[in-house]
Amino acid sequence: VDSDFFGTLGTVMFFAILGWLLAAVLLLEKDAQWPRAFLTAKPLELSPRALEVQSSERPKAESSRYIPVLGVGSVAMLGIFGRQGLWRRRLPRALLAGRSPKLVEVRTLVTRPAEGQSFARRDQLLDMEKEMQQLWSEKKAYEEDAPNEDVADEDKFFVTFPYPYMNGKLHLGHAFSITKSEFAARFARLTGKRVLFPFAFHCTGMPISAAALKLEQCIAERQGGLAASTEEAAESEENSADPSVFKGKKSKAEAKSGGLDQYDIMLALGIQDEDIPKFTEPTHWLEYFPPLAVRDLKRMGAAVDWRRSFITTDISPAYDAFIRWQFKKLREKYLANGKRQSIFSVTTKQPCADHDRAEGEGVNPQEYTLIKLKVKEVPSEWKESLGDADVFLVAATLRPETMYGQTNCFVLPEGEYGFFRMLSGEVFVCTRRSALNMCYQDLGELKTLPSGEEEPVCLLHKTGQDLVGLPLEAPLASYDTVYALPMLTISMQKGTGIVTSVPAEAPDDYACLADWKKRANWREQYGVKEEWCQPFDVVEILDIPDSECSASAPAICEQMKIESHRDKDKLAAAKQEVYKKGFYEGVMKVGPHAGKKVQDVKPLIRQEMIDSKQAVPYYEPEGKVVARSGDECVVALCDQWYLKYSDEDWTKRVRDHVETNFEMFSDAAKNNLNHAVGWLGDWACSRTFGLGTKLPWDEQWLIESLSDSTVYMAYYTVAHLIQKSAAMDEDSHGISPADLTEEVFDFVFCIKDELPADSAIPVELLEKMRREFKFWYPVDLRCSGKDLIQNHLTMSLFNHAAVWEDPKLWPKAFFCNGHVMVDSEKMSKSKGNFLTLEESIAAYSADAVRITCADSGDGLSDANFSRENCGKTILKLTALQAWAEESVQKLPTMRTGDLNFLDLIFENEISICINNAHKSYSEMAFSEALRAVWFDMENLRSQYSILSNGDVNASVIKRLLETQMVALSPIAPHFCEFLWQKVLKRDSLVVKEKWPTPPKETDAVLARQYELIQGTLRSFRLSLDKIKNPKKKKKAPTAPPPVPKRAVIFVAKAYKDWQVEVLKVLQQLELTDENEPVEKDYMKQVREAESLKELPKQVFKQVMPFASFVMTRDLKARGPEALELQLPFDEAKMLQDLCEVIKLQLGLEELEIADADEEHALGFQQQREAAGPGKPQIAFLQEELAAAA
């Protein structure tokens, strides 16, 4: 028994008891459910109660059902904490992997539907979807080829989605973004276009290779840990027949972090222990995950032409040949070789591009000037380690022009500093992190450790406190000697940990120097002598025009009342202000460049310092970057191939295209793209580690994963003709990859018009390939997440511009969406709301997921996927199915013949919904399209039945149902196809129907009448409700008031003369899109209007309240229609025709329609006065009034 056995045993017993108590508490709750996130990484499915409740009360569970819970309470708790890596060392691996029989029993208790409940509705949808997917497959619904040359010009729509990376299963975030392409493709097909939506799978780059490497290391660690545990060793002996099954512990680092290691990640993906070692071979990932992605996308109903599917890397020789051709084209003008500063992974020994990063996407190298402050007197006790080498404290600065104002330098007292040997023989004092950057920039010296890792050569370690008081020679400073002082706010994660002090132009420096001058207690605490700080006054180095003080930092510190260098927030704001003014407005006051603008001389001063050996160039990442291999990246000077995105002519051509011929569907997205076009700069496109295509002329290099994914959309156009599909069994046309020469691709992709000489590919096939490309290109739409704007999407435009001179072959539009949250929280395994696509469909059905994705939001803002709404969608879909089946069955018994007033209104409303949906689909506003074809049409169905009291016209119902099935099919294709085929008994596919364009223009008058009917009935119901449910008084309860059985509706044919004049004044006001007046003091214009000044005093008193009501209430509710002087129809006649409908809605026996301009026998002066065009008022007659009448 080793030393920590008893401690471990006590801990295990504690959590066992805790788990038992938790189980006991749950017994007290009749409807208690175990939180699944505790017991499984899978997401919580929707409660069966939310899907379908077949009994009104959940039966009490027999106590015997919960006996196993008590038995496994401790096991569950141990499993919980074992899952998090806290107790892995002592617990059997099989238990912690979640396959213990008792733990499985607990999971069954959690997920089994309660008695009296079922998932029948969801399962009904799943069965429906499976049947429709089979139908589409048999009919080859989504396989599209270019038409023959003799066919007249045909509209086409080519949409693509960035192929997802295959290091795991597709999740809801993928699905949400994919639906944008999906909806657009299906809508385009309905509008009569020939549509191509292909799909492929990305495997190039570091992520898979890095994960395979980490898994190999993890398995080795677990095997090592296996021997350390007696219990685990015994378990290993039981499994000795299968040496591929490893059951070990987590690494120490993983145990401390509490995170999942690579082995656990594989388990979470549903991979069995015995299969996990296969994934140490990167190619196995390519064999395992793409088929799962194809399966899940087919289950989702993706309208993909799977013949054109492929996997990247040289595992697909034809695609590999295409990428090699692409880079030969790039090399002609825009590809170069040389040493470049690049974000670099120390572990993999290669540049780390955006898609190779676990953290820090979009971060670039930041250029600094490394100022060398020479130590004038090295302590004698240090010399034994340092020898006679010159020692420098090195500070990284962005403002070398201010070095004339140095008064000291700062160090962090508790910071750890190393004395690192440089290749020049000098010793630099800085942090290890910055020294590592220097070594990879050919400044510092590296040594190789026994482990194989490389480390900067460090001669001595000291804390910042040890450096305080060192006398220094600061380049360009007016003081011969300056000293190192403490600064308590230095970050050791940026720069070198050494800060040179220029108090004239740096608020932090000024505040800190002031602290040491005035705070004697601080000086005593940190051992700072007065002579190190007191004699050093601010040195003015810049003139700022129109500024009272030459030294900006002291002035702003005084202005902002900054008391200490610990006032971080104030100092951050001050720093931004001072730096901006100094650079853009400052003029040098000292040195050989006095009188010149800072922005002009800054690079000159920097170069002069470098040339005189007072400084060196230095780079580090703008922010923290972590590679997929797990190491924090540095900036390295790499000899590599790079794309010259900084080329001015290239950039101009792309920018012109973006500004004149391009659609982004959002001003914000367009601005981001424009910025990225100018910002991109040169891009390292080669590496040595990972999967991918080799550079054809220099095969030691692989092409990185962003650079090989920029024009592959062109490959889609011919993929089905030159390769075997990655998603189907169909083979290619017998083309050998060796036959795909540069000349072949030049001809196929319209670079050259001449057929390739001596090609083994038949001429007919070559011409067919070229025809495919010419028909489908350019890409009409590419959809992706907003995070790809800064790299992939921008690079795609550049690469198209490089390969094809003609802008007509460049992409025409990008649509970018935000990330998707689940239940208003970021999707996360730790929060239990991480959903794979497979799990989402299994839990809710594909169409419910698709509808919820459409409803979640569009544009760059993050969307929210509500699981509750997704569950409700199941109910709505099955309810609509039931109504459709019943309605179709009743069609022969419904009213036929001429359409009445209500029929015409609802026919018109159907057309309005269709037009709104068409507009929204076209604008990629899918939540609005869903509103029109789902929510609005469902409301129409309900209102038609209510207002007609069930007396509906068969042709209206049939049109409503057929129209909705076609218009909703882009979003819910399985459901619509099923009803189209099985309920409406149509022979065609709904997904290939034509868009249901209304047979005639919509009628604005009918639309106004419907709006008035809806608004009027709503108003009448509220008035009736006030009578039925009066406010309760504090006195004794009284009998409920009698329910009115008679009412009078007062209708005003026109406004009163003075009201007309007020409305005319209000019509002159300019309104915003929200129907609010642009001029806030609009009431002043009403008050001062000449046409109103002549009104009698008593009438004028009513003007302002009337104007205020119209603008604050009516206008917001009804829009500009509220300012109309009269209605375009006979309101009284309309209401008279609807008398029976109104009586039925309000439960009335008698209803009178009266003219508001005429006196009424029962008075009702208030209602008559309030009535106006489009605002009828109702008066309910109480019992006694009705009797008197």
Side-chain angles (χ1 to χ4, degrees):
V1 179
D2 59 9
S3 59
D4 64 347
F5 172 78
F6 291 106
T8 303
L9 179 62
T11 306
V12 168
M13 291 179 64
F14 170 77
F15 282 109
I17 295 170
L18 183 62
W20 191 92
L21 291 175
L22 175 61
V25 170
L26 291 176
L27 282 174
L28 302 178
E29 290 291 332
K30 181 175 67 176
D31 289 329
Q33 292 188 18
W34 281 59
R36 289 187 63 194
F38 276 7
L39 303 178
T40 176
K42 293 184 178 179
L44 180 64
E45 294 186 3
L46 185 72
S47 166
R49 184 184 297 276
L51 297 178
E52 182 170 358
V53 180
Q54 297 178 352
S55 60
S56 58
E57 181 178 355
R58 179 177 174 177
K60 292 184 178 179
E62 298 177 7
S63 60
S64 61
R65 291 179 59 202
Y66 291 93
I67 290 175
V69 176
L70 293 175
V72 299
S74 59
V75 174
M77 290 305 297
L78 293 175
I80 294 164
F81 288 92
R83 268 292 193 189
Q84 297 304 313
L86 298 177
W87 315 108
R88 223 30 175 290
R89 185 172 183 182
R90 297 296 171 219
L91 295 177
R93 177 68 200 158
L95 173 63
L96 300 184
R99 290 187 305 284
S100 162
K102 291 185 178 180
L103 198 54
V104 170
E105 185 177 357
V106 173
R107 287 175 172 169
T108 304
L109 289 173
V110 172
T111 59
R112 182 190 299 131
E115 294 178 22
Q117 301 177 0
S118 76
F119 290 110
R121 292 175 181 260
R122 180 205 59 192
D123 295 342
Q124 175 183 332
L125 293 177
L126 289 172
D127 291 341
M128 178 190 303
E129 290 166 359
K130 186 176 181 181
E131 184 179 353
M132 293 304 100
Q133 288 160 14
Q134 181 63 33
L135 175 66
W136 294 332
S137 178
E138 292 171 357
K139 299 279 189 180
K140 299 184 177 182
Y142 308 120
E143 294 183 12
E144 294 285 3
D145 292 310
N148 294 326
E149 289 182 344
D150 55 354
V151 176
D153 287 345
E154 183 178 348
D155 282 345
K156 62 88 180 178
F157 186 73
F158 182 19
V159 58
T160 63
F161 177 83
Y163 38 33
Y165 204 80
M166 288 291 97
N167 58 346
K169 295 180 180 179
L170 297 179
H171 55 68
L172 190 63
H174 291 117
F176 175 73
S177 295
I178 290 169
T179 59
K180 308 304 181 184
S181 300
E182 251 287 288
F183 300 158
R186 289 181 177 277
F187 170 69
R189 184 174 284 108
L190 295 179
T191 61
K193 295 177 181 178
R194 192 179 289 244
V195 175
L196 176 60
F197 178 26
F199 210 93
F201 305 99
H202 200 195
C203 298
T204 59
M206 280 179 53
I208 287 175
S209 294
L213 180 62
K214 285 196 286 187
L215 181 61
E216 185 176 9
Q217 294 169 347
C218 186
I219 289 174
E221 289 175 357
R222 287 170 184 258
Q223 285 180 304
L226 200 63
S229 170
T230 304
E231 294 176 61
E232 304 254 344
E235 186 178 345
S236 177
E237 289 173 5
E238 294 174 6
N239 294 301
S240 59
D242 186 357
S244 67
V245 179
F246 301 111
K247 314 229 181 246
K249 64 167 187 173
K250 275 191 177 182
S251 68
K252 291 182 180 180
E254 292 289 349
K256 289 179 181 178
S257 69
L260 297 177
D261 63 15
Q262 190 62 48
Y263 197 99
D264 283 323
I265 291 173
M266 307 309 289
L267 286 173
L269 289 171
I271 299 167
Q272 299 299 312
D273 276 291
E274 58 269 20
D275 293 328
I276 289 177
K278 299 175 184 176
F279 290 86
T280 57
E281 179 57 49
T283 55
H284 187 68
W285 298 65
L286 281 60
E287 299 166 1
Y288 185 84
F289 286 112
L292 297 183
V294 172
R295 177 202 66 188
D296 293 342
L297 287 170
K298 287 183 176 179
R299 288 178 180 175
M300 187 179 113
V304 168
D305 184 348
W306 290 111
R307 299 173 304 158
R308 303 170 188 261
S309 183
F310 58 87
I311 298 171
T312 65
T313 75
D314 53 7
I315 198 174
S316 298
Y319 178 76
D320 191 62
F322 171 79
I323 297 300
R324 292 163 72 90
W325 168 80
Q326 174 196 345
F327 266 74
K328 288 177 182 178
K329 298 290 111 182
L330 293 172
R331 192 187 186 192
E332 291 174 4
K333 195 170 183 181
Y334 299 115
L335 198 59
N337 181 265
K339 285 188 173 291
R340 312 291 295 179
Q341 304 291 349
S342 304
I343 305 294
F344 187 85
S345 166
V346 174
T347 297
T348 62
K349 296 292 186 290
Q350 65 175 3
C352 185
D354 277 2
H355 280 190
D356 300 326
R357 302 175 188 177
E359 180 183 341
E361 190 168 335
V363 173
N364 287 319
Q366 172 71 62
E367 182 184 54
Y368 292 90
T369 304
L370 202 62
I371 306 299
K372 297 163 60 176
L373 294 97
K374 185 176 181 180
V375 179
K376 299 181 75 172
E377 298 176 14
V378 178
S380 56
E381 62 271 21
W382 297 359
K383 289 186 177 181
E384 183 177 345
S385 301
L386 303 178
D388 296 329
D390 291 334
V391 179
F392 298 88
L393 271 59
V394 287
T397 182
L398 296 171
R399 302 195 65 193
E401 77 282 2
T402 64
M403 293 303 101
Y404 294 100
Q406 292 179 90
T407 59
N408 58 281
C409 86
F410 294 117
V411 295
L412 183 68
E414 65 272 22
E416 294 291 333
Y417 293 88
F419 289 64
F420 298 97
R421 188 165 64 206
M422 297 292 112
L423 295 175
S424 62
E426 299 167 329
V427 174
F428 284 4
V429 182
C430 56
T431 62
R432 178 200 170 277
R433 183 194 56 79
S434 58
L436 191 62
N437 274 270
M438 295 175 201
C439 290
Y440 281 96
Q441 293 166 36
D442 295 344
L443 293 175
E445 185 178 335
L446 282 169
K447 66 177 179 180
T448 303
L449 302 177
S451 64
E453 296 180 2
E454 292 182 322
E455 274 283 319
V457 175
C458 185
L459 306 177
L460 187 65
H461 290 281
K462 292 293 176 182
T463 66
Q465 186 61 53
D466 296 327
L467 305 179
V468 171
L470 282 179
L472 307 169
E473 179 183 325
L476 304 186
S478 59
Y479 295 103
D480 292 334
T481 302
V482 298
Y483 296 91
L485 300 177
M487 178 182 266
L488 310 180
T489 56
I490 292 176
S491 170
M492 302 294 277
Q493 302 307 312
K494 194 167 183 68
T496 63
I498 306 290
V499 177
T500 188
S501 173
V502 183
E505 296 302 320
D508 295 83
D509 298 350
Y510 174 78
C512 191
L513 181 59
D515 280 341
W516 297 116
K517 286 187 174 186
K518 66 186 179 184
R519 300 178 187 269
N521 57 328
W522 282 24
R523 293 199 301 272
E524 182 179 354
Q525 180 181 351
Y526 288 96
V528 175
K529 297 179 180 180
E530 284 191 42
E531 56 265 32
W532 296 345
C533 56
Q534 292 292 4
F536 297 91
D537 296 324
V538 172
V539 178
E540 296 181 357
I541 53 177
L542 301 182
D543 271 329
I544 309 292
D546 303 323
S547 176
E548 297 179 0
C549 179
S550 295
S552 303
I556 200 166
C557 284
E558 182 178 349
Q559 176 188 331
M560 296 181 67
K561 298 181 179 178
I562 294 172
E563 301 294 334
S564 166
H565 77 280
R566 288 180 168 179
D567 292 343
K568 290 185 178 180
D569 293 339
K570 287 183 179 180
L571 284 168
K575 177 180 179 179
Q576 187 175 11
E577 178 67 22
V578 168
Y579 280 23
K580 184 170 65 175
K581 272 193 171 184
F583 180 75
Y584 291 106
E585 302 177 28
V587 175
M588 295 299 298
K589 190 176 180 178
V590 297
H593 299 287
K596 297 178 183 178
K597 289 185 177 181
V598 168
Q599 56 185 321
D600 294 333
V601 301
K602 176 178 178 176
L604 300 177
I605 295 174
R606 178 178 189 267
Q607 191 59 48
E608 288 169 0
M609 294 184 71
I610 292 171
D611 292 343
S612 61
K613 310 296 184 185
Q614 295 175 312
V616 292
Y618 170 70
Y619 296 79
E620 64 179 46
E622 293 170 323
K624 185 177 181 181
V625 179
V626 178
R628 299 266 185 183
S629 51
D631 58 307
E632 184 174 348
C633 292
V634 299
V635 171
L637 186 61
C638 301
D639 185 8
Q640 61 181 294
W641 292 92
Y642 59 93
L643 285 158
K644 299 186 291 184
Y645 291 128
S646 61
D647 184 274
E648 292 184 5
D649 177 66
W650 199 11
T651 300
K652 183 180 183 303
R653 292 169 60 221
V654 172
R655 190 183 298 282
D656 289 346
H657 179 67
V658 169
E659 292 177 351
T660 58
N661 303 306
F662 204 73
E663 177 61 65
M664 284 289 285
F665 303 95
S666 158
D667 289 340
K670 189 76 165 280
N671 292 336
N672 288 346
L673 182 63
N674 255 319
H675 172 74
V677 168
W679 161 87
L680 194 55
D682 293 344
W683 185 271
C685 62
S686 57
R687 61 179 188 278
T688 57
F689 176 80
L691 302 174
T693 297
K694 295 176 181 178
L695 278 176
W697 59 88
D698 192 354
E699 294 199 353
Q700 66 173 315
W701 297 104
L702 292 167
I703 299 167
E704 63 94 20
S705 61
L706 276 167
S707 299
D708 74 352
S709 58
T710 53
V711 298
Y712 69 88
M713 311 86 185
Y715 184 78
Y716 277 136
T717 65
V718 298
H720 61 307
L721 302 176
I722 63 176
Q723 61 154 52
K724 181 178 179 180
S725 167
M728 301 174 68
D729 292 332
E730 296 182 4
D731 210 338
S732 68
H733 286 65
I735 295 178
S736 167
D739 296 334
L740 296 172
T741 62
E742 185 175 0
E743 292 75 21
V744 165
F745 281 131
D746 282 349
F747 174 75
V748 168
F749 296 126
C750 299
I751 304 297
K752 296 178 180 178
D753 295 330
E754 300 80 18
L755 278 164
D758 303 322
S759 175
I761 303 174
V763 172
E764 295 79 7
L765 184 54
L766 285 171
E767 290 177 341
K768 183 176 182 180
M769 292 162 63
R770 182 181 173 94
R771 187 166 66 250
E772 286 279 336
F773 173 76
K774 289 179 69 175
F775 177 76
W776 291 117
Y777 240 62
V779 174
D780 295 285
L781 175 66
R782 187 161 179 79
C783 301
S784 85
K786 62 184 179 182
D787 52 310
L788 295 188
I789 293 176
Q790 65 185 4
N791 43 54
H792 165 73
L793 295 178
T794 307
M795 292 177 181
S796 179
L797 291 175
F798 271 95
N799 279 257
H800 275 85
V803 176
W804 292 280
E805 288 290 331
D806 188 356
K808 291 180 181 178
L809 293 175
W810 305 355
K812 296 170 67 175
F814 292 156
F815 177 84
C816 298
N817 55 263
H819 302 121
V820 64
M821 298 185 292
V822 175
D823 298 334
S824 300
E825 289 190 309
K826 184 178 179 181
M827 201 162 57
S828 166
K829 288 188 175 79
S830 64
K831 294 179 180 177
N833 69 344
F834 185 88
L835 298 173
T836 65
L837 180 54
E838 176 189 17
E839 291 166 337
S840 302
I841 293 171
Y844 302 108
S845 80
D847 280 353
V849 170
R850 292 170 67 107
I851 288 173
T852 308
C853 282
D855 193 35
S856 297
D858 302 302
L860 296 182
S861 299
D862 287 348
N864 180 47
F865 183 96
S866 168
R867 287 184 283 188
E868 180 182 1
N869 288 346
C870 199
K872 290 177 179 178
T873 300
I874 298 173
L875 296 175
K876 290 180 181 178
L877 284 169
T878 51
L880 176 55
Q881 178 188 352
W883 174 82
E885 292 170 346
E886 181 183 4
S887 296
V888 170
Q889 193 174 17
K890 291 181 177 179
L891 276 177
T893 65
M894 292 180 185
R895 175 169 53 84
T896 57
D898 294 339
L899 302 182
N900 63 26
F901 176 60
L902 281 177
D903 297 338
L904 291 172
I905 279 183
F906 282 95
E907 278 274 328
N908 193 61
E909 289 301 309
I910 293 171
S911 295
I912 290 174
C913 284
I914 286 300
N915 289 342
N916 290 341
H918 190 284
K919 180 176 183 294
S920 297
Y921 274 128
S922 301
E923 296 173 350
M924 302 289 287
F926 299 118
S927 58
E928 292 301 315
L930 180 70
R931 176 184 298 279
V933 300
W934 177 243
F935 300 109
D936 290 352
M937 282 195 167
E938 288 298 280
N939 185 56
L940 281 183
R941 172 170 66 88
S942 173
Q943 289 300 308
Y944 185 37
S945 178
I946 291 171
L947 294 180
S948 66
N949 195 25
D951 182 25
V952 296
N953 187 286
S955 65
V956 177
I957 291 297
K958 187 178 179 183
R959 184 190 174 211
L960 175 62
L961 186 53
E962 290 178 348
T963 298
Q964 186 177 24
M965 289 307 99
V966 176
L968 181 60
S969 67
I971 297 174
H974 307 89
F975 178 82
C976 296
E977 190 71 76
F978 183 86
L979 265 62
W980 190 259
Q981 301 280 332
K982 306 297 183 181
V983 178
L984 294 174
K985 306 297 182 183
R986 303 294 289 270
D987 294 330
S988 61
L989 294 176
V990 75
V991 297
K992 288 204 164 188
E993 275 295 312
K994 299 300 181 186
W995 181 259
T997 304
K1000 60 181 180 179
E1001 292 290 328
T1002 56
D1003 190 325
V1005 174
L1006 283 175
R1008 286 290 308 279
Q1009 288 176 300
Y1010 180 62
E1011 181 184 350
L1012 180 58
I1013 292 169
Q1014 293 289 88
T1016 297
L1017 285 174
R1018 190 183 308 112
S1019 173
F1020 289 175
R1021 290 191 199 100
L1022 290 174
S1023 298
L1024 181 60
D1025 188 60
K1026 289 180 181 178
I1027 294 174
K1028 289 182 177 181
N1029 303 291
K1031 290 184 179 180
K1032 294 182 180 180
K1033 298 181 179 179
K1034 293 183 179 180
K1035 298 178 181 179
T1038 58
V1043 178
K1045 294 298 181 182
R1046 180 179 171 189
V1048 180
I1049 296 176
F1050 292 98
V1051 181
K1053 296 179 180 178
Y1055 285 106
K1056 296 176 177 60
D1057 291 342
W1058 67 268
Q1059 291 175 323
V1060 171
E1061 293 302 322
V1062 173
L1063 290 172
K1064 286 181 178 178
V1065 173
L1066 296 179
Q1067 286 174 349
Q1068 306 305 312
L1069 300 176
E1070 183 182 355
L1071 302 178
T1072 66
D1073 292 338
E1074 289 75 32
N1075 293 320
E1076 293 182 351
V1078 174
E1079 179 59 53
K1080 298 303 179 184
D1081 193 18
Y1082 63 90
M1083 294 299 284
K1084 181 180 179 182
Q1085 298 182 38
V1086 177
R1087 193 181 303 111
E1088 297 176 352
E1090 293 295 330
S1091 59
L1092 302 177
K1093 287 182 179 179
E1094 304 301 323
L1095 292 175
K1097 189 173 182 180
Q1098 286 300 110
V1099 175
F1100 192 78
K1101 286 182 179 180
Q1102 303 176 62
V1103 167
M1104 302 307 285
F1106 174 71
S1108 177
F1109 176 83
V1110 170
M1111 297 300 290
T1112 58
R1113 300 272 299 275
D1114 245 13
L1115 187 64
K1116 285 187 177 180
R1118 297 167 51 202
E1121 294 170 358
L1123 303 179
E1124 291 179 347
L1125 303 182
Q1126 61 183 18
L1127 296 177
F1129 55 87
D1130 189 334
E1131 182 181 0
K1133 182 179 183 305
M1134 183 192 76
L1135 292 174
Q1136 190 68 55
D1137 292 342
L1138 293 172
C1139 239
E1140 293 304 314
V1141 173
I1142 298 172
K1143 286 163 62 177
L1144 186 67
Q1145 290 288 300
L1146 302 179
L1148 299 174
E1149 295 175 358
E1150 297 182 40
L1151 181 64
E1152 176 187 355
I1153 309 297
D1155 190 336
D1157 293 334
E1158 298 178 2
E1159 296 288 339
H1160 194 274
L1162 298 178
F1164 299 119
Q1165 185 69 22
Q1166 182 180 353
Q1167 286 86 346
R1168 290 177 52 231
E1169 289 288 336
K1175 293 195 303 178
Q1177 300 294 311
I1178 192 167
F1180 292 98
L1181 276 67
Q1182 300 294 341
E1183 192 174 347
E1184 59 274 13
L1185 287 176

